[in-house]
Amino acid sequence: TYYYKIGNGQWVDNGNSSTISFTEISPGNYDLYIKYYNKMLNKESYIRKLSINILPPWYQTKYAYVIWFLLGGSLVFSIFWFVSKRRKKFRKEESIRNEQRRKEEIYEAKLNFFTDIAHEFCTPLTLISGPCNLIISQKNISPAVAGYADIINRNAKRMNLLISDLMDFKQMEAGYKLPEITRLDVSGIADRITDMFMINTSGSGIKMKKYYFAGIMWNSDEKFLTTILVNLISNAIKYSNGESVIVEMCVEQENLIIKVINKGQGIPENEIAGIFDRFSVLDNKKKNGWKQNGLGLTVTASMIKLLSGNIEVTSIPDEVTSFVVTLPYLEPDGTKLKNEYDPDDTILYEYSLPQTKYEYKEGRLTVTVIDDDPEMLWLICNIVSDEFNVLPINNSSKAIETLSCNHTDIILCDIIMKDMDSIQLSKALKSDKSTSHIPLIIVSAVHSIEVQTEALNAGAELYVTKPFDAKYLKTTIRRLLGRKEDLKDYFSSPLSMYELNMGKLQHTEDRKFLKKVYGIISKNIQNQDLSPEFIASELGMSVRTLYRKMKDVTDKGLLEIIRNGKLTVAEDLLLKSKFTIDEIVFKSGFSNRASFYRSFAKKYGCTPTEFIEKNNI
């Protein structure tokens, strides 16, 4: 009979079987004890011991535990990272929503403010344009009065158009202004608008080219379509380089395609995305070159959106710019009556001013006026033309070339111009020796202190803000020109060779001589040979000549000047150094302590030690 046990356990009777089976035994080290009992001999065998090592399964090994730990850590980290990312994304989205909400609130507040202000402008503008039209209608008025009245009338109309744009923009934003879709002859509308612009630009050299068939019919809102065409063509003319403005129109794939193309300076690529942005229109900052002008393009984009269309802009700087409008087919609204809309109400005539030729009169000073706004150029030139010769320049890029060929006594220029602003122009003029002496006045509607400071730092003599008073502007010009003449008279007179020093006029050459003497003393302050003879030797003249010349230029004796120079050095060392008095005596050039104390007490009325105590050293 066989018996076995594991470790210190109980003996187990295994019967006559010599095979032992174990299951579900944990991994580890075990001792198996075995014996048998011989019934025939009634005798037990010796106990045999067998050491057994049961290995764990692969997923319970040390390496497996390391892997499980890494996987667990990665899982916890991934969960943490995912949750953190979700929170960051949520916070970012919340921040964007808050920022958008804040922008909307600011935008709405600004729009409401400007709309309220615009309402307040309506009555004064009516009181301006009404009497102005009465003046224009009068017979036998002078050409000058007619010109000024025309300027007032057109600028009143300009403000009315801006107010109208603002009102339309507010209504479209609020959802109160919706298109009235009717069947329209879009070719006829485009013809009327382009013909009006042809008349408007007849004096500017810009031509209109039309590429579309007659009789194109389309369902749209007449006022919307007219405003879109007027704004796009007006913008193209404004930024054209003088070449033709092209208007194309066709129907493709059930869409009306309108293209307005011009050649000019173009729009920078980084600004294209913002020219229709409703948030930036009220914060529009003037930049060099292309700049958004009013609400025109923003109103255009809003109208196109209400017509379920879209607008795209492509621009190659200094080459070509094109605006492409796509309008889908819309069903007409049969309940609406078609109202004839006059596009002339939305076109502002920019080039109707006559080209005035100003007479040059001998003996008058010349004023150069630089401005790319023809009305402002005409106004300033007319203000100053009764007293000065006038040289008008309407293109800032040609100003330097024109000034190099023509004499001028003073320059007036606007700060914001298309090709070169007055900051750049001022730097260019002041860096050129042939024009750096010419006074420069900047006339601008920009009231920012930073811009005014930048303009003055660039070389401008004066910064005049709009609106300005004509009398003040002329007085400013007269004073600057008078100052220029005063300086010219001063430097051409003998008096310019003298300077006021200590209440006395001193010749420039005398100041140079004294400066040389003081330089020799300062350079040789510790030199024991410093004396009138030494100075005369350094200047290459006799001692007698030196004394005579010093007597002519100053009341002080040469020995007194030397002694005062030494005492000045001593005073500085007493106040700013930690040298002893004996060291200061040597460093200030005195030969002995007694002469130093005597000279010091004579000038300061005390000893060096008392001087230090008085100054709390």
Side-chain angles (χ1 to χ4, degrees):
T1 301
Y2 294 95
Y3 298 90
Y4 71 90
K5 72 174 181 177
I6 297 175
N8 297 321
Q10 298 293 325
W11 287 100
V12 178
D13 185 354
N14 200 44
N16 294 327
S17 176
S18 61
T19 302
I20 305 173
S21 296
F22 299 101
T23 58
E24 298 182 357
I25 297 179
S26 300
N29 294 317
Y30 299 93
D31 291 330
L32 178 64
Y33 296 94
I34 303 171
K35 68 179 179 177
Y36 67 89
Y37 176 72
N38 192 330
K39 292 181 180 180
M40 294 180 64
L41 298 177
N42 194 24
K43 184 178 179 181
E44 281 189 351
S45 67
Y46 294 107
I47 298 173
R48 301 290 182 178
K49 176 183 176 184
L50 179 64
S51 296
I52 301 172
N53 182 21
I54 299 177
L55 298 174
W58 65 269
Y59 53 81
Q60 290 183 347
T61 61
K62 293 180 179 179
Y63 297 107
Y65 281 123
V66 172
I67 293 172
W68 301 140
F69 176 78
L70 293 176
L71 288 176
S74 299
L75 180 62
V76 171
F77 176 78
S78 299
I79 294 172
F80 176 79
W81 177 81
F82 178 75
V83 171
S84 177
K85 187 176 181 182
R86 284 291 300 272
R87 287 180 177 175
K88 286 182 179 179
K89 184 179 179 181
F90 176 78
R91 285 196 295 266
K92 186 176 180 180
E93 290 174 350
E94 184 67 21
S95 176
I96 292 173
R97 284 193 295 269
N98 290 335
E99 180 66 19
Q100 186 70 12
R101 194 180 303 114
R102 188 184 67 83
K103 287 176 67 176
E104 290 277 0
E105 291 172 354
I106 294 174
Y107 163 79
E108 190 66 27
K110 285 184 178 180
L111 190 57
N112 289 333
F113 171 75
F114 287 126
T115 305
D116 293 340
I117 294 296
H119 277 294
E120 297 298 324
F121 284 159
C122 291
T123 299
L125 280 174
T126 304
L127 295 174
I128 291 172
S129 60
C132 187
N133 286 324
L134 293 175
I135 292 172
I136 294 173
S137 64
Q138 295 292 321
K139 296 179 180 179
N140 301 323
I141 62 171
S142 68
V145 172
Y148 288 129
D150 188 51
I151 286 283
I152 295 170
N153 190 42
R154 278 184 286 114
N155 280 277
K157 182 178 179 182
R158 176 180 294 166
M159 290 194 70
N160 274 320
L161 290 177
L162 289 173
I163 291 171
S164 178
D165 283 344
L166 189 58
M167 299 300 183
D168 289 343
F169 187 51
K170 176 68 183 295
Q171 289 179 354
M172 286 185 287
E173 288 292 300
Y176 297 131
K177 190 176 183 67
L178 298 175
E180 301 175 4
I181 308 301
T182 57
R183 191 72 173 168
L184 301 173
D185 179 6
V186 293
S187 298
I189 294 173
D191 283 338
R192 291 200 305 273
I193 294 170
T194 52
D195 289 346
M196 288 179 181
F197 274 109
M198 284 180 184
I199 298 171
N200 193 12
T201 59
S202 59
S204 66
I206 299 174
K207 295 181 179 180
M208 300 290 300
K209 290 185 178 180
K210 302 182 288 185
Y211 295 100
Y212 51 83
F213 294 108
I216 298 177
M217 304 298 294
W218 198 255
N219 295 345
S220 188
D221 182 292
E222 185 173 5
K223 182 177 180 181
F224 278 29
L225 187 61
T226 301
T227 303
I228 291 168
L229 284 169
V230 168
N231 285 340
L232 293 181
I233 295 173
S234 176
N235 186 75
I237 291 172
K238 185 174 182 65
Y239 296 104
S240 172
N241 59 4
E243 297 189 33
S244 300
V245 172
I246 299 171
V247 180
E248 298 179 3
M249 192 161 51
C250 64
V251 177
E252 292 181 1
Q253 300 177 352
E254 298 186 353
N255 289 310
L256 177 65
I257 309 297
I258 302 172
K259 294 182 181 179
V260 179
I261 304 168
N262 74 293
K263 292 184 178 180
Q265 61 196 38
I267 307 171
E269 185 177 356
N270 62 332
E271 294 182 22
I272 289 178
I275 62 175
F276 304 116
D277 183 15
R278 64 194 183 102
F279 292 113
S280 63
V281 65
L282 297 179
D283 290 323
N284 184 34
K285 295 181 180 178
K286 305 292 184 183
K287 301 180 178 68
N288 298 336
W290 193 91
K291 55 185 180 289
Q292 185 167 330
N293 241 354
L295 290 163
L297 290 178
T298 307
V299 170
T300 298
S302 297
M303 288 182 171
I304 292 170
K305 185 178 179 181
L306 289 174
L307 291 171
S308 303
N310 63 64
I311 182 169
E312 296 179 353
V313 184
T314 57
S315 181
I316 302 174
D318 300 319
E319 291 189 25
V320 64
T321 300
S322 63
F323 286 75
V324 181
V325 178
T326 304
L327 298 176
Y329 179 83
L330 299 173
E331 291 295 332
D333 187 348
T335 62
K336 299 290 183 181
L337 296 177
K338 179 180 175 181
N339 296 317
E340 199 68 31
Y341 182 72
D342 186 5
D344 186 52
D345 293 338
T346 60
I347 296 178
L348 190 65
Y349 293 89
E350 296 286 351
Y351 301 97
S352 59
L353 284 173
Q355 295 295 322
T356 307
K357 292 185 178 180
Y358 299 97
E359 181 184 358
Y360 180 83
K361 296 183 180 179
E362 290 289 340
R364 280 187 172 186
L365 298 175
T366 300
V367 177
T368 297
V369 184
I370 307 171
D371 203 313
D372 57 0
D373 184 335
E375 292 182 356
M376 187 57 65
L377 182 65
W378 178 87
L379 177 64
I380 296 177
C381 288
N382 273 272
I383 289 173
V384 301
S385 61
D386 64 335
E387 190 174 342
F388 305 97
N389 292 321
V390 178
L391 177 61
I393 302 175
N394 62 1
N395 191 327
S396 59
S397 62
K398 298 179 181 178
I400 296 176
E401 180 184 351
T402 305
L403 289 170
S404 65
C405 303
N406 296 274
H407 168 76
T408 187
D409 295 289
I410 192 168
I411 300 170
L412 278 75
C413 71
D414 189 14
I415 195 166
I416 298 172
M417 295 178 284
K418 287 192 292 187
D419 298 311
M420 179 189 292
D421 66 23
S422 63
I423 303 294
Q424 296 170 321
L425 180 62
S426 178
K427 290 179 179 178
L429 291 173
K430 295 302 180 179
S431 62
D432 187 344
K433 290 183 178 179
S434 63
T435 55
S436 61
H437 65 284
I438 303 174
L440 176 65
I441 300 176
I442 291 179
V443 183
S444 174
V446 181
H447 288 236
S448 168
I449 295 299
E450 291 78 9
V451 174
Q452 295 185 38
T453 304
E454 184 182 5
L456 295 177
N457 286 333
E461 273 69 28
L462 202 61
Y463 191 104
V464 178
T465 56
K466 300 175 186 175
F468 56 81
D469 180 77
K471 186 177 179 181
Y472 172 78
L473 183 64
K474 291 177 71 174
T475 303
T476 299
I477 296 171
R478 282 196 294 266
R479 288 300 304 142
L480 280 179
L481 290 174
R483 176 64 176 161
K484 183 180 176 183
E485 291 300 315
D486 291 342
L487 288 173
K488 187 188 297 183
D489 293 342
Y490 170 75
F491 284 111
S492 62
S493 69
L495 190 62
S496 64
M497 299 299 294
Y498 293 85
E499 293 182 18
L500 192 64
N501 183 30
M502 302 297 289
K504 295 182 179 180
L505 286 175
Q506 191 174 64
H507 198 280
T508 306
E509 293 301 322
D510 293 340
R511 288 181 62 83
K512 290 180 180 178
F513 172 73
L514 277 178
K515 188 175 181 180
K516 287 182 181 179
V517 172
Y518 288 137
I520 294 171
I521 294 172
S522 177
K523 188 177 179 181
N524 297 276
I525 200 71
Q526 294 183 17
N527 189 346
Q528 296 298 320
D529 295 329
L530 181 61
S531 62
E533 291 78 10
F534 178 84
I535 296 172
S537 176
E538 289 291 311
L539 292 173
M541 61 178 65
S542 66
V543 177
R544 186 174 180 179
T545 303
L546 174 61
Y547 271 110
R548 187 172 63 249
K549 196 164 182 64
M550 289 295 295
K551 186 177 180 181
D552 292 337
V553 299
T554 180
D555 295 334
K556 295 180 180 180
L558 195 54
L559 289 174
E560 183 184 357
I561 292 173
I562 295 173
R563 183 169 59 252
N564 286 338
K566 292 180 178 181
L567 289 173
T568 300
V569 173
E571 177 188 352
D572 187 64
L573 292 173
L574 285 169
L575 295 174
K576 298 180 181 179
S577 73
K578 295 183 178 180
F579 293 120
T580 63
I581 293 179
D582 288 335
E583 290 174 323
I584 291 173
V585 169
F586 170 74
K587 289 183 178 293
S588 58
F590 285 91
S591 58
N592 55 68
R593 186 184 178 97
S595 62
F596 171 69
Y597 268 80
R598 187 168 54 251
S599 299
F600 194 90
K602 185 177 180 181
K603 182 176 181 179
Y604 297 102
C606 61
T607 64
T609 304
E610 292 171 343
F611 179 81
I612 294 173
E613 291 174 354
K614 285 181 180 179
N615 288 275
N616 297 321
I617 303 298

